[in-house]
C-alpha cells in the first residue's frame, strides 16, 4: 500500500487525508522529520503560504523535504503548496521549497470574496473537473520542461518531473481525479 504524507501545520489537511483514504492509500500526517520516513509521496496543502513556510523553516523540515524531492520523491502542492514550490513568486523572491520552474503571483484573483468554483476540461483525463479557487495564485510563466495539464486562461495545473502543482483545491470537491492522478501516475 502506498503511503502519502500530508504536511500538517496548517490549511486543508483533513480533506486531503480523506481523499487518500478513499483511494485505498495510507495517509501520514507530517509535522516532524520522523514523519517523512517511508513516504511514497507528499502533499503540501493549501492554506497560507507564508505561515506554512515559516513552520517549514523553524522545524528544519525544509531541508529534509527539499532533499527528498530533489532525490525524486513525488510532491503535490495545492494552492499555497504550489506557491511554496515555486522558484519565482512575483515580486516576492522564491518559495521555501523552490524546485518548480514557474513564476506564480499570489492572490491574483482578488480577495477571499473573489473565490470561485469552475469546471475545467482536462485533456489528460478527457473530462471536466471541478476546480475551487480560494484566494488563489496565478501561474504567469512556465519553463519549457513544465507540462501544463489544465488551463483557465493561464495554467492552473502543471507537472515538472516529480512535482505536481495546482492553483485550486481538488480536495474540496466530491471528485477524485486529481488525487487519483497523483497517487497512481505521479507516485509510481
Ligand atoms: N492566498 C494564499 C497564499 O498566498 C493561498 C490560498 C490557498 O491556499 N487557498 O498563501
Amino acid at each position: 500500500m502506498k503511503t502519502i504524507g500530508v504536511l500538517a501545520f496548517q490549511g486543508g489537511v483533513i480533506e486531503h487525508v480523506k481523499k487518500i483514504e478513499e483511494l485505498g492509500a495510507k495517509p501520514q500526517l507530517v509535522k516532524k522529520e520522523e514523519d517523512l520516513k517511508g513516504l511514497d509521496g507528499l502533499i503540501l496543502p493549501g492554506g497560507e503560504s507564508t505561515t506554512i513556510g515559516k513552520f517549514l523553516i523553524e522545524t528544519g523540515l525544509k531541508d529534509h523535504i527539499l532533499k527528498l524531492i530533489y532525490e525524486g520523491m513525488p510532491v503535490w502542492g495545492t494552492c499555497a503548496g504550489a506557491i511554496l514550490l515555486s522558484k519565482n513568486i512575483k515580486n516576492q523572491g522564491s518559495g521555501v521549497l523552490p524546485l518548480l520552474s514557474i513564476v506564480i503571483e499570489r492572490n491574483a484573483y482578488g480577495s477571499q470574496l473573489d473565490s470561485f468554483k469552475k469546471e475545467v476540461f482536462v485533456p489528460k483525463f478527457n473530462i471536466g473537473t471541478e476546480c475551487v479557487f480560494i484566494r488563489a495564485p496565478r501561474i504567469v510563466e512556465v519553463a519549457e520542461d513544465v507540462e501544463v495539464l489544465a488551463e483557465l486562461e493561464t495554467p492552473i495545473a502543471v507537472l515538472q518531473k516529480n512535482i505536481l502543482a495546482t492553483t485550486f483545491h481538488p480536495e474540496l470537491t466530491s471528485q477524485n481525479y486529481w488525487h487519483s492522478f497523483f497517487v497512481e501516475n505521479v507516485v509510481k
Side-chain angles (χ1 to χ4, degrees):
M1 189 194 268
K2 290 175 185 170
T3 304
I4 309 293
V6 182
L7 189 68
F9 292 133
Q10 191 255 341
V13 176
I14 291 309
E15 292 83 354
H16 277 297
V17 165
K18 284 190 188 141
K19 291 283 186 205
I20 295 164
E21 284 170 347
E22 273 172 43
L23 292 171
K26 183 173 169 262
Q28 165 74 51
L29 294 181
V30 173
K31 286 187 177 170
K32 49 187 189 317
E33 192 194 341
E34 298 90 274
D35 303 332
L36 292 168
K37 272 192 204 124
L39 292 188
D40 296 300
L42 175 66
I43 294 178
L44 311 174
E48 188 57 41
S49 54
T50 43
T51 310
I52 301 174
K54 261 185 211 158
F55 279 123
L56 282 171
I57 294 168
E58 280 169 16
T59 56
L61 263 189
K62 171 190 163 178
D63 292 332
H64 299 296
I65 293 178
L66 268 177
K67 183 168 178 276
L68 288 171
I69 302 173
Y70 192 71
E71 288 169 356
M73 179 183 69
V75 65
W76 174 18
T78 53
C79 205
I83 297 170
L84 290 167
L85 290 166
S86 301
K87 279 191 182 168
N88 188 332
I89 304 172
K90 201 175 168 192
N91 304 324
Q92 287 184 38
S94 56
V96 169
L97 305 167
L99 296 171
L100 176 63
S101 307
I102 61 171
V103 182
I104 202 160
E105 183 183 358
R106 291 181 67 198
N107 305 323
Y109 299 89
S111 72
Q112 192 83 12
L113 289 175
D114 301 305
S115 298
F116 63 100
K117 201 195 264 188
K118 181 128 189 148
E119 187 173 291
V120 179
F121 181 75
V122 185
K124 211 179 190 84
F125 308 160
N126 198 25
I127 201 151
T129 72
E130 220 181 288
C131 302
V132 178
F133 295 85
I134 302 172
R135 282 185 75 217
R138 193 194 286 272
I139 296 171
V140 291
E141 250 179 81
V142 299
E144 235 171 63
D145 61 339
V146 173
E147 186 185 355
V148 175
L149 301 173
E151 279 182 293
L152 185 61
E153 288 167 20
T154 50
I156 58 168
V158 295
L159 179 68
Q160 187 180 31
K161 296 190 195 118
N162 53 324
I163 307 176
L164 173 67
T166 55
T167 59
F168 53 93
H169 290 263
E171 78 284 7
L172 297 181
T173 71
S174 57
Q175 303 176 329
N176 280 345
Y177 299 115
W178 289 97
H179 286 80
S180 152
F181 176 68
F182 181 65
V183 173
E184 304 301 329
N185 296 81
V186 187
V187 176
K188 285 169 191 146

